[in-house]
mmCIF file of all heavy atoms in Angstrom:
data_model
loop_
_atom_site.group_PDB
_atom_site.id
_atom_site.type_symbol
_atom_site.label_atom_id
_atom_site.label_comp_id
_atom_site.label_asym_id
_atom_site.label_seq_id
_atom_site.Cartn_x
_atom_site.Cartn_y
_atom_site.Cartn_z
ATOM 1 N N LEU A 358 416.059 20.451 132.041
ATOM 2 C CA LEU A 358 414.755 20.496 132.688
ATOM 3 C C LEU A 358 414.695 21.515 133.812
ATOM 4 O O LEU A 358 413.617 22.021 134.142
ATOM 5 C CB LEU A 358 414.396 19.107 133.225
ATOM 6 C CG LEU A 358 414.371 17.974 132.190
ATOM 7 C CD1 LEU A 358 413.819 16.702 132.809
ATOM 8 C CD2 LEU A 358 413.568 18.366 130.966
ATOM 9 N N GLU A 359 415.817 21.837 134.395
ATOM 10 C CA GLU A 359 415.829 22.857 135.451
ATOM 11 C C GLU A 359 415.493 24.222 134.853
ATOM 12 O O GLU A 359 414.687 24.977 135.408
ATOM 13 C CB GLU A 359 417.187 22.887 136.138
ATOM 14 C CG GLU A 359 417.253 23.882 137.300
ATOM 15 C CD GLU A 359 418.595 23.859 138.006
ATOM 16 O OE1 GLU A 359 419.561 23.286 137.464
ATOM 17 O OE2 GLU A 359 418.674 24.420 139.112
ATOM 18 N N LYS A 360 416.095 24.547 133.714
ATOM 19 C CA LYS A 360 415.767 25.808 133.050
ATOM 20 C C LYS A 360 414.305 25.821 132.624
ATOM 21 O O LYS A 360 413.635 26.848 132.695
ATOM 22 C CB LYS A 360 416.664 26.009 131.831
ATOM 23 C CG LYS A 360 418.115 26.338 132.144
ATOM 24 C CD LYS A 360 418.896 26.558 130.857
ATOM 25 C CE LYS A 360 420.364 26.863 131.133
ATOM 26 N NZ LYS A 360 421.128 27.023 129.868
ATOM 27 N N MET A 361 413.813 24.679 132.169
ATOM 28 C CA MET A 361 412.417 24.601 131.747
ATOM 29 C C MET A 361 411.479 24.867 132.921
ATOM 30 O O MET A 361 410.505 25.608 132.800
ATOM 31 C CB MET A 361 412.128 23.238 131.134
ATOM 32 C CG MET A 361 410.737 23.105 130.529
ATOM 33 S SD MET A 361 410.482 21.472 129.799
ATOM 34 C CE MET A 361 410.360 20.472 131.300
ATOM 35 N N ALA A 362 411.798 24.270 134.077
ATOM 36 C CA ALA A 362 410.962 24.486 135.259
ATOM 37 C C ALA A 362 410.999 25.942 135.702
ATOM 38 O O ALA A 362 410.009 26.475 136.215
ATOM 39 C CB ALA A 362 411.419 23.575 136.393
ATOM 40 N N ASN A 363 412.131 26.606 135.494
ATOM 41 C CA ASN A 363 412.279 28.009 135.885
ATOM 42 C C ASN A 363 411.903 28.975 134.770
ATOM 43 O O ASN A 363 412.011 30.187 134.930
ATOM 44 C CB ASN A 363 413.717 28.280 136.337
ATOM 45 C CG ASN A 363 414.056 27.585 137.637
ATOM 46 O OD1 ASN A 363 413.202 27.437 138.504
ATOM 47 N ND2 ASN A 363 415.291 27.139 137.771
ATOM 48 N N GLU A 364 411.464 28.436 133.627
ATOM 49 C CA GLU A 364 411.018 29.230 132.479
ATOM 50 C C GLU A 364 412.102 30.194 131.999
ATOM 51 O O GLU A 364 411.877 31.390 131.810
ATOM 52 C CB GLU A 364 409.715 29.962 132.806
ATOM 53 C CG GLU A 364 408.582 29.013 133.183
ATOM 54 C CD GLU A 364 407.247 29.702 133.396
ATOM 55 O OE1 GLU A 364 407.113 30.873 133.002
ATOM 56 O OE2 GLU A 364 406.344 29.062 133.957
ATOM 57 N N LEU A 365 413.304 29.657 131.765
ATOM 58 C CA LEU A 365 414.446 30.443 131.305
ATOM 59 C C LEU A 365 414.963 29.873 129.983
ATOM 60 O O LEU A 365 415.966 29.153 129.951
ATOM 61 C CB LEU A 365 415.561 30.430 132.369
ATOM 62 C CG LEU A 365 415.211 31.049 133.731
ATOM 63 C CD1 LEU A 365 416.320 30.775 134.732
ATOM 64 C CD2 LEU A 365 414.962 32.543 133.576
ATOM 65 N N PRO A 366 414.295 30.191 128.868
ATOM 66 C CA PRO A 366 414.691 29.601 127.586
ATOM 67 C C PRO A 366 416.031 30.143 127.080
ATOM 68 O O PRO A 366 416.383 31.310 127.305
ATOM 69 C CB PRO A 366 413.560 30.014 126.638
ATOM 70 C CG PRO A 366 412.466 30.530 127.504
ATOM 71 C CD PRO A 366 413.106 31.038 128.743
ATOM 72 N N ASP A 367 416.754 29.299 126.360
ATOM 73 C CA ASP A 367 417.960 29.720 125.666
ATOM 74 C C ASP A 367 417.653 30.123 124.232
ATOM 75 O O ASP A 367 418.398 30.903 123.630
ATOM 76 C CB ASP A 367 418.985 28.583 125.660
ATOM 77 C CG ASP A 367 419.472 28.256 127.067
ATOM 78 O OD1 ASP A 367 420.398 28.921 127.532
ATOM 79 O OD2 ASP A 367 418.898 27.342 127.692
ATOM 80 N N TYR A 368 416.579 29.580 123.677
ATOM 81 C CA TYR A 368 416.186 29.860 122.294
ATOM 82 C C TYR A 368 414.686 30.136 122.221
ATOM 83 O O TYR A 368 413.891 29.513 122.931
ATOM 84 C CB TYR A 368 416.477 28.659 121.384
ATOM 85 C CG TYR A 368 417.943 28.351 121.173
ATOM 86 C CD1 TYR A 368 418.639 27.563 122.092
ATOM 87 C CD2 TYR A 368 418.621 28.833 120.057
ATOM 88 C CE1 TYR A 368 419.989 27.273 121.895
ATOM 89 C CE2 TYR A 368 419.962 28.545 119.852
ATOM 90 C CZ TYR A 368 420.639 27.759 120.779
ATOM 91 O OH TYR A 368 421.967 27.470 120.593
ATOM 92 N N TYR A 369 414.316 31.088 121.350
ATOM 93 C CA TYR A 369 412.937 31.258 120.897
ATOM 94 C C TYR A 369 412.961 31.028 119.393
ATOM 95 O O TYR A 369 413.795 31.624 118.691
ATOM 96 C CB TYR A 369 412.419 32.661 121.191
ATOM 97 C CG TYR A 369 412.203 32.953 122.662
ATOM 98 C CD1 TYR A 369 413.247 33.414 123.450
ATOM 99 C CD2 TYR A 369 410.955 32.780 123.252
ATOM 100 C CE1 TYR A 369 413.059 33.692 124.800
ATOM 101 C CE2 TYR A 369 410.755 33.060 124.597
ATOM 102 C CZ TYR A 369 411.815 33.510 125.369
ATOM 103 O OH TYR A 369 411.620 33.785 126.698
ATOM 104 N N VAL A 370 412.101 30.170 118.889
ATOM 105 C CA VAL A 370 412.183 29.800 117.475
ATOM 106 C C VAL A 370 410.819 29.859 116.805
ATOM 107 O O VAL A 370 409.786 29.617 117.425
ATOM 108 C CB VAL A 370 412.771 28.382 117.314
ATOM 109 C CG1 VAL A 370 414.244 28.362 117.712
ATOM 110 C CG2 VAL A 370 412.000 27.339 118.128
ATOM 111 N N PHE A 371 410.835 30.208 115.522
ATOM 112 C CA PHE A 371 409.692 30.015 114.643
ATOM 113 C C PHE A 371 409.954 28.737 113.848
ATOM 114 O O PHE A 371 411.044 28.542 113.289
ATOM 115 C CB PHE A 371 409.527 31.187 113.681
ATOM 116 C CG PHE A 371 409.091 32.483 114.324
ATOM 117 C CD1 PHE A 371 409.563 33.696 113.859
ATOM 118 C CD2 PHE A 371 408.205 32.488 115.387
ATOM 119 C CE1 PHE A 371 409.154 34.895 114.437
ATOM 120 C CE2 PHE A 371 407.795 33.682 115.986
ATOM 121 C CZ PHE A 371 408.274 34.885 115.504
ATOM 122 N N ASN A 372 408.963 27.862 113.809
ATOM 123 C CA ASN A 372 409.052 26.597 113.069
ATOM 124 C C ASN A 372 410.306 25.799 113.427
ATOM 125 O O ASN A 372 410.977 25.224 112.559
ATOM 126 C CB ASN A 372 408.939 26.839 111.570
ATOM 127 C CG ASN A 372 407.512 27.189 111.168
ATOM 128 O OD1 ASN A 372 406.719 27.656 111.987
ATOM 129 N ND2 ASN A 372 407.160 26.946 109.912
ATOM 130 N N GLY A 373 410.631 25.803 114.716
ATOM 131 C CA GLY A 373 411.533 24.800 115.245
ATOM 132 C C GLY A 373 413.004 25.095 115.313
ATOM 133 O O GLY A 373 413.717 24.442 116.070
ATOM 134 N N GLU A 374 413.507 26.044 114.513
ATOM 135 C CA GLU A 374 414.952 26.255 114.524
ATOM 136 C C GLU A 374 415.284 27.704 114.208
ATOM 137 O O GLU A 374 414.463 28.434 113.630
ATOM 138 C CB GLU A 374 415.644 25.323 113.523
ATOM 139 C CG GLU A 374 415.255 25.554 112.083
ATOM 140 C CD GLU A 374 415.868 24.544 111.123
ATOM 141 O OE1 GLU A 374 415.839 23.334 111.417
ATOM 142 O OE2 GLU A 374 416.366 24.967 110.059
ATOM 143 N N VAL A 375 416.484 28.129 114.584
ATOM 144 C CA VAL A 375 416.960 29.465 114.264
ATOM 145 C C VAL A 375 417.127 29.570 112.751
ATOM 146 O O VAL A 375 417.737 28.709 112.123
ATOM 147 C CB VAL A 375 418.300 29.746 114.976
ATOM 148 C CG1 VAL A 375 418.849 31.112 114.556
ATOM 149 C CG2 VAL A 375 418.127 29.677 116.486
#
Side-chain angles (χ1 to χ4, degrees):
L358 303 188
E359 183 178 14
K360 288 182 181 178
M361 186 179 72
N363 292 326
E364 301 185 14
L365 298 171
D367 295 275
Y368 292 85
Y369 290 86
V370 291
F371 291 144
N372 287 23
E374 63 185 46
V375 176

